[in-house]
Amino acid sequence: MELKLTRCTIRNWRLDDAESLAKHANNRNVWLRLRDRFPHPYGIDDPNEFLKRATTKEGREKVYCIEIDGAAVGGIGLIMGEDVYRHTAEFGYWLSEDFWGRGIMTEAVTAFVDYCFANFQLNRIHAAAYANNPASARVLEKAGLILEGRLRKSVYKDGKILDSLLYAKTK
C-alpha cells in the first residue's frame, strides 16, 4: 500500500525504518496520547520487534508508516473486527511531535479512512481520543468522523483515570 498525499506518504513499514522510528517514537508526549502497548521509553530493540510484526501481512491488524521527506515519522493502523463485528474496524495513529500542528494527521486520517472503506469490507470505522487530547479529537472531526459519545473513566494512563471520546464514520 502506498498513498502519496500532499504533506506525507502512507506506506508499508520496512525493516530499514528502525532508526527513524526509534528517533521519532521515543517521546513522552507522543506516548501520553497512545495506548500502553506503545512502549516508553522507546528503546533500541523496540523498533526491530515492531517492524518484524508490521512487515508480516497476516492477522487482523494492519499497520502502516507515515513518511515525511523520506523518514518514518509516525504510524497509522487498523484492527479488523471479528464475529458480528467483522464489518467494523478500529483505527489509531501517532505522529512525531516535530510535525504536530501542520495538518498532516488530518490529511492522513482522511485518506486512510477512505482507503479502508475502499479496500476492506467495512461498514463502520471508529477511533477513540483521550478527552485530554483535544488536538486528536479535532483531527477526527476534520476527517469527517462523528462524535458518538464520551466513555467516562474508561482509560488509565500515566497514573490518571481519563474519559475517552468515541468517533466513528459509516459507509
Side-chain angles (χ1 to χ4, degrees):
M1 182 261 239
E2 183 168 281
L3 297 174
K4 288 192 178 281
L5 309 175
T6 305
R7 296 176 177 97
C8 67
T9 298
I10 300 172
R11 61 163 173 80
N12 292 322
W13 286 102
R14 301 184 305 245
L15 294 176
D16 66 355
D17 288 325
E19 185 178 338
S20 183
L21 178 57
K23 174 186 173 188
H24 293 284
N26 191 24
N27 180 310
R28 181 170 167 75
N29 289 328
V30 169
W31 173 80
L32 284 170
R33 289 151 177 82
L34 300 174
R35 295 187 180 176
D36 285 344
R37 74 184 228 174
F38 191 97
H40 182 74
Y42 204 88
I44 193 69
D45 294 328
D46 293 316
N48 293 322
E49 289 175 28
F50 168 76
L51 291 169
K52 283 180 198 167
R53 290 190 317 271
T55 54
T56 302
K57 304 290 183 232
E58 300 170 11
R60 295 182 319 121
E61 194 168 350
K62 316 291 182 197
V63 291
Y64 305 97
C65 173
I66 297 173
E67 177 186 288
I68 297 175
D69 296 331
V73 300
I76 193 162
L78 184 73
I79 299 174
M80 305 299 285
E82 293 181 296
D83 194 18
V84 296
Y85 299 106
R86 65 187 166 271
H87 294 287
T88 68
E90 178 182 14
F91 77 100
Y93 50 88
W94 70 274
L95 185 66
S96 169
E97 189 174 12
D98 295 344
F99 299 96
W100 290 0
R102 299 186 193 179
I104 295 164
M105 282 315 306
T106 298
E107 180 184 42
V109 166
T110 301
F112 185 71
V113 168
D114 291 345
Y115 172 85
C116 290
F117 279 130
N119 291 279
F120 303 109
Q121 292 184 341
L122 296 175
N123 293 320
R124 171 190 167 86
I125 191 166
H126 63 271
Y130 302 154
N132 67 349
N133 187 359
S136 188
R138 188 72 184 124
V139 163
L140 295 169
E141 290 167 359
K142 284 179 162 182
L145 283 82
I146 304 298
L147 176 64
E148 292 190 334
R150 175 181 288 263
L151 307 174
R152 295 175 49 235
K153 299 182 179 183
S154 61
V155 173
Y156 181 77
K157 182 68 179 183
D158 196 36
K160 298 179 183 111
I161 303 288
L162 305 171
D163 293 355
S164 59
L165 305 173
L166 181 63
Y167 286 85
K169 186 171 186 176
T170 58
K171 198 171 197 180

